[in-house]
Amino acid sequence: MDRAPSIAGSSGSDPDPGGDSELGYELDLKRAIELIKRSQARRVGLQAPEGLKRAMPKAASRIAEETGAEVLISADPCYGACDVDMRLCQEVELLFHLGHAGLGEEPERVVFLEARMNEDLGEVAEKAVAQLRSRHVGVASTVQHIHRLDSALQALAEHGIEGHVGPASGRIRYPGQVLGCCYITARTLLGDSPVDDPIEEFLFIGTGQFHPLGIALATGKRVIAADPVSGEVSEIDPDPMLRRRFRAISKASEVKEFAVLISKKPGQRRVELAERMMALGRAHGRDMYLVYIDNIEPELLLNLGVKAAVSTACPRVALDDAAKYRIPILTPPEFEVLLGERSWEEYQFDEIDEIDVNRCRSM
């Protein structure tokens, strides 16, 4: 199939007023339609995470009606910008990935249409002031809210609190943005030493608990989570998660054979890291073998007879989804703790950056 002109990327502007507000999100379908017409693409694809899948039929109908292009919808699971449907990408001239910001690692024909939410972040930031203890606070959010982060910073400033936002870097497209696998915008706000570090706590504005928990684990700092949808504000306690991870490491220490999981997903494939885990395990007398896998599911591992695994894929596989597995699944830093290569006090959150992925392109 001929390649469409190189017009792909992420939508960095606010969605047009006529964008699709299905399920409370704004999608810039007008931009998608313009790109299809400009490239004269005749077959395009749509991919979205679970929370946006119900918006795809309506989006497909509008695209087909206004462009005449055939639209193929991906029904497979989608876990983030790291999980581009590469098979569908080969079948279409343009693939529109809904909801996420691009990581800068995608094929030219992939276009990211970010999903934006329009809740007032200033209101929930003001509610969070009562729980903040510092006058210098790191502020972070996800791509759904990042376009309104200035209103949160202004609300904090009105209460004498200076909000600090880390710069965009690597896979992170926007200042202050965090991913479930990367918290570099938060970590770059930390000083060279605890004595020089003015940031003692973070304010995360967004939905869910995983991102603020990730900030807490990645920085070791106090984190307040403010949900602009529900209006709830709470302090994040990483101790229950750390206790669960300690139990997982203890359970895995009894196992001799380990599978090292390599993800097929383009933004999660860390081959060099997997090979390092293989070598490290063997050096400590463990029997190690590589497993190349797309969606990591309990029955797939059980069918292989796996007793324990080290996942080099998304860290959420081990941390967020641990309860659904019958076997312990460790992150690479946790495997190092198990082998005595690092102490428990040196526990580190497993993050994926652009270096991890770029090293693996030759596979």
Side-chain angles (χ1 to χ4, degrees):
M1 178 180 294
D2 293 335
R3 180 172 294 237
S6 179
I7 54 176
S10 290
S11 172
S13 60
D14 286 336
D16 67 291
D20 195 327
S21 58
E22 184 87 13
L23 305 178
Y25 292 94
E26 292 288 345
L27 296 172
D28 196 353
L29 294 183
K30 180 180 178 180
R31 176 172 179 264
I33 291 167
E34 290 173 350
L35 293 178
I36 294 170
K37 290 180 177 179
R38 189 191 314 167
S39 67
Q40 298 183 337
R42 304 315 303 159
R43 174 182 278 187
V44 301
L46 292 182
Q47 182 187 18
E50 303 312 301
L52 281 174
K53 272 192 166 52
R54 292 189 178 184
M56 287 199 292
K58 182 178 178 181
S61 295
R62 179 178 169 187
I63 289 172
E65 179 180 346
E66 297 194 29
T67 69
E70 180 183 20
V71 183
L72 301 181
I73 293 175
S74 174
D76 289 327
C78 175
Y79 298 103
C82 58
D83 190 11
V84 173
D85 190 331
M86 298 305 295
R87 289 188 179 180
L88 179 57
C89 191
Q90 294 171 2
E91 299 292 331
V92 298
E93 295 165 80
L94 288 175
L95 173 62
F96 293 97
H97 184 107
L98 311 183
H100 302 113
L103 303 177
E105 306 156 355
E106 302 80 19
E108 291 181 350
R109 68 181 68 188
V110 178
V111 179
F112 283 83
L113 296 180
E114 299 165 9
R116 303 290 181 87
M117 300 181 73
N118 289 319
E119 278 76 12
D120 182 2
L121 302 193
E123 183 177 337
V124 76
E126 189 162 351
K127 288 185 64 176
V129 166
Q131 294 197 38
L132 295 173
R133 301 171 181 171
S134 306
R135 290 302 170 188
H136 293 273
V137 176
V139 182
S141 188
T142 57
V143 69
Q144 290 80 17
H145 302 286
I146 207 71
H147 62 299
R148 292 190 173 272
L149 204 56
D150 284 347
S151 63
L153 298 177
Q154 181 178 347
L156 294 176
E158 291 173 356
H159 290 270
I161 299 174
E162 184 174 353
H164 299 263
V165 175
S169 176
R171 333 178 90 200
I172 303 298
R173 184 174 179 84
Y174 301 106
Q177 178 194 357
V178 293
L179 300 172
C181 63
C182 188
Y183 297 93
I184 190 170
T185 53
R187 288 189 290 103
T188 53
L189 293 176
L190 305 182
D192 295 332
S193 70
V195 175
D196 299 327
D197 179 13
I199 303 298
E200 293 299 334
E201 60 185 347
F202 284 85
L203 172 63
F204 170 79
I205 303 178
T207 58
Q209 294 291 300
F210 188 85
H211 290 95
L213 181 59
I215 295 174
L217 294 176
T219 65
K221 300 299 183 179
R222 181 174 183 260
V223 178
I224 298 298
D227 188 329
V229 177
S230 68
E232 295 181 1
V233 177
S234 61
E235 180 176 352
I236 296 299
D237 182 7
D239 286 343
M241 170 67 80
L242 289 172
R243 287 196 293 269
R244 289 194 295 271
R245 301 318 302 158
F246 187 84
R247 288 196 296 269
I249 295 171
S250 299
K251 183 177 180 180
S253 66
E254 304 170 0
V255 178
K256 181 176 177 57
E257 295 183 347
F258 281 82
V260 178
L261 309 180
I262 300 177
S263 177
K264 293 182 181 180
K265 301 183 188 304
Q268 299 181 21
R269 190 164 55 239
R270 297 188 284 174
V271 180
E272 185 174 294
L273 177 61
E275 292 174 342
R276 185 164 66 83
M277 293 297 103
M278 291 284 293
L280 193 60
R282 286 169 176 165
H284 284 266
R286 265 27 183 222
D287 296 330
M288 310 292 294
Y289 51 95
L290 287 171
V291 173
Y292 196 42
I293 190 169
D294 188 2
N295 294 320
I296 302 173
E297 296 294 341
E299 62 272 13
L300 298 179
L301 300 182
L302 288 176
N303 289 341
L304 290 172
V306 172
K307 302 299 182 185
V310 182
S311 174
T312 63
C314 175
R316 300 190 75 158
V317 171
L319 303 182
D320 209 26
D321 297 336
K324 74 178 187 179
Y325 296 99
R326 299 180 186 179
I327 64 171
I329 299 182
L330 306 183
T331 66
E334 290 171 349
F335 190 53
E336 292 175 344
V337 171
L338 181 148
L339 297 176
E341 292 290 325
R342 71 168 68 221
S343 68
W344 172 251
E345 288 70 28
E346 297 173 303
Y347 184 93
Q348 179 179 319
F349 184 85
D350 180 34
E351 295 188 63
I352 302 178
D353 60 33
E354 75 281 4
I355 295 176
D356 289 325
V357 177
N358 289 338
R359 283 174 176 170
C360 302
R361 295 210 178 274
S362 60
M363 182 174 181

